[in-house]
Amino acid sequence: MTLPIDIRDRELRSLDQFDLREGYQEDLQGVLVARREIDDCVERLAAEITADYRGNSDFYPICVLKGAIRFFVDLTRAIELGASYSEAVVNASRYGKGPVSDTPEVQIFDPESIAGKDVLIVEDILDEGHTLAALVDRIEEHDPNSVEIASLFSKATNREVDVDPTYEGFLIPDRFVVGYGLDYQELHRDFPHLGVIDTDQI
Ligand code: IMP
Ligand code: MG
């Protein structure tokens, strides 16, 4: 498997370099990963997944709502298995009302369909690891044939639970990022690039 692109030491790019709608300047500190670079990375991950699952109609990608929606759509569009397979979504969140919980709330909508499948959990970002660890545990209860993880971004510094994605896009610094589906308090999912937000300023 290809290693993730390590951009932990990267400087932020100024928002002025991008053609953006008004309003982002006040909210965001800068761009960490431009959309074009995200697209290239998603293509690379899709090629790796294609090579590993070619012809496998038990392939079962599961989108972790809501942050991974854009990644899931772009990734699955670029995967070419030459076989038809089914897909699912799950809900997993540690950031509901009240304090952040170590045990995320997980909702699996169609648990019977997991048996015998080669599950690929498609997640936006791996941070402390609780969310993906809980998801793997919950999915394994339903007898899949295999479970792998694709995570587009990963912050390695805060890991509390050991989680090892098979497909990993970017290793990023420990900053709060938004855009390309990722939110801060449900906002900024629409930001086209991966941007950094100063959560203390808001
Ligand atoms: P973990 O359980 O700490 O690994 O948290 C992973 C989850 O937290 C992800 O699915 C995201 O929903 C959320 N998260 C963690 N860091 C960020 C971030 O920088 N921006 C947006 N969401 C984040
Ligand atoms: Mg998430």
Side-chain angles (χ1 to χ4, degrees):
M1 228 45 62
T2 322
L3 291 172
I5 302 165
D6 188 345
I7 54 163
R8 283 174 294 180
D9 296 330
R10 179 180 284 188
E11 304 273 325
L12 291 187
R13 286 171 68 186
S14 153
L15 294 166
D16 304 333
Q17 297 177 31
F18 299 85
D19 185 21
L20 299 166
R21 70 157 169 76
E22 308 237 325
Y24 284 129
Q25 306 287 345
E26 296 93 82
D27 296 330
L28 302 187
Q29 295 186 308
V31 170
L32 185 62
V33 190
R35 178 61 198 273
R36 180 176 301 211
E37 202 183 348
I38 295 176
D39 290 345
D40 288 348
C41 180
V42 172
E43 288 284 335
R44 170 178 67 80
L45 296 174
E48 290 179 14
I49 293 164
T50 298
D52 292 349
Y53 292 89
R54 200 184 301 278
N56 183 350
S57 54
D58 288 325
F59 178 60
Y60 197 55
I62 299 183
C63 176
V64 185
L65 298 175
K66 293 182 256 180
I69 290 178
R70 284 167 179 77
F71 175 41
F72 185 86
V73 170
D74 290 343
L75 184 72
T76 50
R77 269 194 221 281
I79 291 172
E80 303 274 359
L81 295 193
S84 189
Y85 56 85
S86 44
E87 304 174 343
V89 296
V90 294
N91 219 337
S93 183
R94 297 175 59 195
Y95 301 81
K97 294 182 179 71
V100 177
S101 151
D102 273 0
T103 323
E105 235 175 82
V106 174
Q107 280 170 284
I108 298 177
F109 300 104
D110 195 4
E112 315 78 56
S113 62
I114 291 172
K117 293 291 199 319
D118 290 308
V119 170
L120 180 67
I121 302 174
V122 179
E123 173 65 308
D124 53 0
I125 186 165
L126 171 58
D127 186 14
E128 293 173 351
H130 294 287
T131 305
L132 276 167
L135 266 169
V136 170
D137 284 353
R138 290 289 306 278
I139 287 168
E140 280 181 340
E141 287 170 13
H142 302 286
D143 299 319
N145 185 52
S146 62
V147 181
E148 305 293 338
I149 295 168
S151 182
L152 182 56
F153 304 107
S154 174
K155 293 191 246 186
T157 21
N158 303 326
R159 199 77 81 246
E160 292 180 1
V161 188
D162 200 21
V163 175
D164 191 16
T166 311
Y167 310 96
E168 207 166 23
F170 296 92
L171 207 52
I172 67 166
D174 183 21
R175 307 184 74 167
F176 205 87
V177 289
V178 293
Y180 193 65
L182 288 89
D183 72 305
Y184 175 63
Q185 297 183 345
E186 293 300 329
L187 291 177
H188 306 301
R189 293 190 197 277
D190 59 300
F191 186 64
H193 312 281
L194 190 76
V196 168
I197 191 160
D198 184 356
T199 50
D200 295 336
Q201 293 281 309
I202 299 166

